[in-house]
Amino acid sequence: YDMLAEADLTYMATNQGLYVQENGRQSVVPGLEGQAWFITRINGSLYCGHNTGIYRIKGRRAERVTDVGGGAFSIRTMQNNGETWAVVGTYALPAMYKIDPDGTWEYVPVLENVKQLVKNLEYDGQGNIWCEHFKGGLVKLEMSPDFKILEEEVEISQLGEVRDTVCNVMKVNGRVLFSNGRKFYIHDDLSDEM
């Protein structure tokens, strides 16, 4: 599902766990057997999204930092006035965190009333978090400039001529793109249209 190569170690997130490879030998990071979704670096620390939460990885050790929403499918980080924020697609709801420079994660309940099951998500830099809905369509979360208030939640069930189908959200060259399986789209901020 994901892979990250370091100078001497390579991490692989798989459906059998988070594997670490060193000198051609692979082993599962203890405690992270089972579904691992992502491996990423945030502010110099390594994190894994797993069926049971998000873990900070140090070599071959794992320490859970949060289990809000159960498992974690995806994560995107954002900078705001020198602060690092993370939005996470979890098994229950999207979740927002403020990550302190020391690596402490503070859960910010701003998204707790969003009852959309989302998998992948992207931040567009304009205050919007775009989410893939599991059952079809997209969810646009319009955030306040400080990320502490969800100003509006917009469900988008149709993308182009395709309705009620799973849409993909991705970022290419810093721009959020959407796909309905047939075509690619961008969001025009001025007209608020795809």
Side-chain angles (χ1 to χ4, degrees), residues 8-60:
D8 54 345
L9 300 174
T10 299
Y11 295 92
M12 296 162 282
T14 76
N15 64 350
Q16 300 297 309
L18 180 67
Y19 281 81
V20 61
Q21 178 175 301
E22 183 176 28
N23 298 324
R25 300 182 68 201
Q26 297 176 2
S27 59
V28 175
V29 174
L32 294 183
E33 298 83 3
Q35 182 67 58
W37 292 102
F38 64 82
I39 182 80
T40 191
R41 187 167 291 286
I42 302 171
N43 294 344
S45 295
L46 200 58
Y47 295 94
C48 174
H50 188 265
N51 260 355
T52 57
I54 296 178
Y55 293 80
R56 182 178 294 116
I57 308 300
K58 295 180 180 177
R60 297 178 184 279

Side-chain angles (χ1 to χ4, degrees), residues 78-163:
M78 305 159 289
Q79 297 296 315
N80 185 8
N81 294 325
E83 298 175 328
T84 300
W85 291 77
V87 62
V88 179
T90 75
Y91 285 15
L93 62 140
M96 183 76 79
Y97 297 90
K98 183 174 170 248
I99 304 174
D100 292 331
D102 67 359
T104 303
W105 287 48
E106 175 190 348
Y107 174 68
V108 180
V110 66
L111 300 178
E112 67 184 5
N113 291 326
V114 175
K115 300 301 180 199
Q116 308 294 334
L117 184 57
V118 301
K119 188 171 182 181
N120 194 25
L121 33 83
E122 292 289 352
Y123 177 66
D124 66 6
Q126 304 294 318
N128 302 308
I129 299 168
W130 294 91
C131 309
E132 292 177 7
H133 194 287
F134 254 94
K135 293 184 179 179
L138 302 166
V139 179
K140 176 183 170 189
L141 304 175
E142 297 177 10
M143 305 301 298
S144 64
D146 62 2
F147 299 127
K148 294 182 180 177
I149 298 171
L150 173 60
E151 294 181 343
E152 189 173 5
E153 176 182 347
V154 180
E155 291 182 53
I156 301 167
S157 61
Q158 184 169 345
L159 189 57
E161 68 284 353
V162 179
R163 184 175 204 57

Side-chain angles (χ1 to χ4, degrees), residues 61-82:
R61 292 183 340 208
E63 168 189 282
R64 185 170 19 213
V65 293
T66 181
D67 62 358
V68 171
F73 290 118
S74 60
I75 187 169
R76 293 298 176 262
T77 57
M78 305 159 289
Q79 297 296 315
N80 185 8
N81 294 325

